[in-house]
Amino acid sequence: MLEQLLIFTRGGLILWTCKELGNALRGSPIDTLIRSCLLEERSGAASYNYDVPGASYTLKWTFHNELGLVFVAVYQKILHLLYVDDLLAMVKREFSVIYDPKRMVYDDFDETFRQLRREAEARVEEMKKSKQVMFKPISSLGKKQGQQMQKSGFKGGNGKKSGGGESGKDGADDDNVKTDFLENGHSNGEVINKGKENGNHNTKTGAFDVNKLQKLQSKGGKKANVVVNKVSKEEPKKKPAKKNRVWVQSPPETKLDFTDPVSENGDAHMAVAPVVEGASMMDKDEVVSSDSETEDEDESETDKKVDSKKKGWFTSMFQSIAGKANLEKADLEPALRALKDRLMTKNVAEEIAEKLCESVAVSLEGKKLASFTRISSTVQAAMEDALVRILTPRRSIDILRDVHFAKEQHKPYVVVFVGVNGVGKSTNLAKVAYWLQQHDINVMMAACDTFRSGAVEQLRTHARRLQIPIFEKGYEKDPAIVAKEAIQEAARNGSDVVLVDTAGRMQDNEPLMRALSKLIYVNSPDLVLFVGEALVGNDAVDQLSKFNQKLTDLSPSTSPRLIDGILLTKFDTIDDKVGAALSMVYISGAPVMFIGCGQSYTDLKKLNVKSIVKTLLK
């Protein structure tokens, strides 16, 4: 049963709802659809499933892009209503006729909707009946044909045994003998030729001659034995004898152990000079991507690829001047195909590029093309708006403000760094600590990577250079307990921020993912940062989606914490291949909060959305 059908504008003004359909919806499926699907450029999907405790809905929608209207149908997920798509298309057609931008109430559309709904339901019922009628005679006909085939087969066999026959029947039998030989894989030219010469068309000529077959097998066996004997007669080649290695017994003269002497508490005996590297790039407004390429790329090449249709010069010029009536999907496909290839060359995951192009196609289909504009430029402008909307954070990412707010409540601000192996979590944690230090914030590091050898020593080295306290408990400890004790120690010592370093783990490693889920559940951090490489392509989708999925499945809480932000590392090594930022933001919905772009503590930047979009569309 259809639960609800709504018509509203892109600005959010509800024009009409069906008051006769069911009770009030549980939860907020329409708001969730707008927030997580339509605004996130996922409108190219066929449907959206909304699941909350006590309710499970499926939502389908369509757009009227020229009028700026959205039509949404809501029904129970367990039901498979076949008429919803047709009903939405008919409602869209009829409502667009009576739509007036100055009009706000459409009570007279109720009766029209009842008729359209009855018509759609009747059409589906007729379709079901026609399918049932079509399947019944086919099955019965198949049984009759099978019985006739069996009878005719038995008759043919009797005819062969009787040996009587006309020439046509004999010829058919002869053909059957040939095909039997070929199908069984034992066809022999001599046997077939003999049958033709003798003119004997009896079925006995088609039988296998067992004696001849045994003779052929024996000949083949003899040849094989001869080959084996020849091989056995050859003597195996002698392998060269292995020479004994001569080991040098004298001890090495050079010193191999350069480790600094460290006490049991982890404090070095030797003093380390504080690092002075200047201001962090986080406080500078710089362009993230390189602008080595020219701003205006040669658009003539793309226009040639996109508009490579068999049109005359006058026709194409007239359309660009007068504009086209309404854009259709076939008109958009060449431009979208070129745009998808361009995004994939910039390291955007294929799945993400395809979904973005589908969403842009849905938003442009039915719109009127303005005068003096090309389809390629219209598609590119729509894609640019979509990319800016996706990459722009939907919430505040001002960490300094959040730190001061936590400081007023007399508790430390906790940041947990998570990610796969080798992406640079510890190094970029030190960069964030250096940036916070420059804003007069007391920082403490927590060495919760108790799995990888050398992880504690690596973080201890950064802490020495930055003159930052570090909390460590060594290896083979529960990271959740270590983080909890570190937060308690920070509260006692008056530290403002606790930066928690965790072990690198692959998204499929369930034991380590379970430990990470426990750490987040026990300590409830203020920010969970996913550290990812800017070098990844399609793997970015797999990493982030599985990290979020594991954190959801393995958490004992009913409302588990997911990834709150992204830190992209090695951004200085990718030139214009900046697509990983788009893939990660699209799949997780979390904003890019930091960008690592070098090896020093100052090499930490903010994401420049306009620069990224410009680089993606070059």
Side-chain angles (χ1 to χ4, degrees), residues 189-206:
E190 296 179 359
V191 176
I192 295 172
N193 290 333
K194 283 183 180 179
K196 285 183 180 179
E197 289 173 2
N198 296 334
N200 187 5
H201 300 293
N202 198 353
T203 56
K204 292 181 181 179
T205 56

Side-chain angles (χ1 to χ4, degrees), residues 446-514:
C448 295
D449 185 356
T450 61
F451 182 76
R452 177 174 63 91
S453 299
V456 176
E457 288 79 8
Q458 180 185 5
L459 202 65
R460 188 192 299 153
T461 303
H462 287 302
R464 285 187 206 159
R465 297 196 65 197
L466 296 173
Q467 299 294 305
I468 289 176
I470 179 173
F471 186 88
E472 57 176 283
K473 286 290 184 180
Y475 297 98
E476 297 183 359
K477 302 292 191 302
D478 189 352
I481 304 302
V482 176
K484 186 176 182 180
E485 293 178 359
I487 296 170
Q488 293 173 355
E489 181 69 19
R492 285 193 296 267
N493 295 340
S495 297
D496 301 326
V497 177
V498 179
L499 303 180
V500 180
D501 185 28
T502 61
R505 66 206 76 212
M506 296 305 294
Q507 59 268 24
D508 298 321
N509 192 332
E510 186 167 337
L512 288 178
M513 289 302 299
R514 190 179 297 276

Side-chain angles (χ1 to χ4, degrees), residues 248-264:
V248 180
Q249 300 296 331
S250 59
E253 298 178 359
T254 58
K255 178 185 175 184
L256 296 179
D257 189 5
F258 296 97
T259 307
D260 297 333
V262 179
S263 63
E264 294 180 357

Side-chain angles (χ1 to χ4, degrees), residues 307-496:
D307 298 328
S308 59
K309 296 180 180 179
K310 295 180 180 180
K311 292 182 180 179
W313 172 81
F314 179 77
T315 306
S316 60
M317 190 184 75
F318 177 77
Q319 283 191 357
S320 64
I321 294 174
K324 193 172 180 180
N326 287 315
L327 289 173
E328 299 177 358
K329 195 172 183 180
D331 302 326
L332 300 171
E333 280 181 358
L336 290 172
R337 198 180 305 115
L339 200 56
K340 177 186 172 184
D341 295 340
R342 192 185 309 172
L343 289 174
M344 289 176 63
T345 57
K346 303 294 183 181
N347 217 17
V348 178
E350 182 181 3
E351 178 186 351
I352 306 301
E354 190 171 351
K355 287 182 179 179
L356 278 171
C357 291
E358 288 176 1
S359 180
V360 170
V362 170
S363 65
L364 289 178
E365 192 174 352
K367 277 191 175 181
K368 186 176 181 180
L369 186 65
S371 302
F372 297 100
T373 55
R374 290 180 175 272
I375 295 177
S376 59
S377 58
T378 304
V379 171
Q380 181 152 345
M383 179 62 77
E384 184 175 353
D385 294 340
L387 295 179
V388 171
R389 191 161 51 249
I390 291 170
L391 291 172
T392 302
R394 299 191 304 274
R395 60 177 178 82
S396 174
I397 58 172
D398 190 356
I399 294 181
L400 298 177
R401 189 196 66 175
D402 297 338
V403 169
H404 290 300
F405 180 74
K407 189 176 180 180
E408 291 175 359
Q409 297 181 344
H410 305 288
K411 65 175 186 178
Y413 186 83
V414 182
V415 183
V416 176
F417 292 77
V418 303
V420 299
N421 308 80
V423 294
K425 289 184 296 300
S426 302
T427 304
N428 285 275
L429 182 148
K431 293 179 185 179
V432 174
Y434 180 76
W435 170 65
L436 292 172
Q437 266 189 324
Q438 290 186 323
H439 291 273
D440 299 327
I441 294 174
N442 297 323
V443 183
M444 188 178 79
M445 296 182 180
C448 295
D449 185 356
T450 61
F451 182 76
R452 177 174 63 91
S453 299
V456 176
E457 288 79 8
Q458 180 185 5
L459 202 65
R460 188 192 299 153
T461 303
H462 287 302
R464 285 187 206 159
R465 297 196 65 197
L466 296 173
Q467 299 294 305
I468 289 176
I470 179 173
F471 186 88
E472 57 176 283
K473 286 290 184 180
Y475 297 98
E476 297 183 359
K477 302 292 191 302
D478 189 352
I481 304 302
V482 176
K484 186 176 182 180
E485 293 178 359
I487 296 170
Q488 293 173 355
E489 181 69 19
R492 285 193 296 267
N493 295 340
S495 297
D496 301 326

Side-chain angles (χ1 to χ4, degrees), residues 260-319:
D260 297 333
V262 179
S263 63
E264 294 180 357
N265 298 325
D267 299 327
H269 294 300
M270 56 185 299
V272 179
V275 177
V276 180
E277 295 191 5
S280 175
M281 293 183 182
M282 281 289 294
D283 302 320
K284 298 177 183 178
D285 294 330
E286 292 184 0
V287 179
V288 174
S289 61
S290 60
D291 290 332
S292 57
E293 300 180 16
T294 57
E295 272 190 33
D296 299 326
E297 197 177 352
D298 195 6
E299 293 184 358
S300 61
E301 294 183 6
T302 57
D303 291 338
K304 286 178 183 177
K305 292 179 182 177
V306 171
D307 298 328
S308 59
K309 296 180 180 179
K310 295 180 180 180
K311 292 182 180 179
W313 172 81
F314 179 77
T315 306
S316 60
M317 190 184 75
F318 177 77
Q319 283 191 357

Side-chain angles (χ1 to χ4, degrees), residues 187-230:
S187 62
N188 190 357
E190 296 179 359
V191 176
I192 295 172
N193 290 333
K194 283 183 180 179
K196 285 183 180 179
E197 289 173 2
N198 296 334
N200 187 5
H201 300 293
N202 198 353
T203 56
K204 292 181 181 179
T205 56
F208 289 113
D209 193 346
V210 180
N211 296 327
K212 287 185 177 181
L213 187 62
Q214 290 178 351
K215 288 179 181 179
L216 290 173
Q217 289 178 350
S218 63
K219 289 179 180 179
K222 288 179 181 179
K223 289 180 180 179
N225 292 332
V226 171
V227 174
V228 171
N229 292 332
K230 286 182 179 179

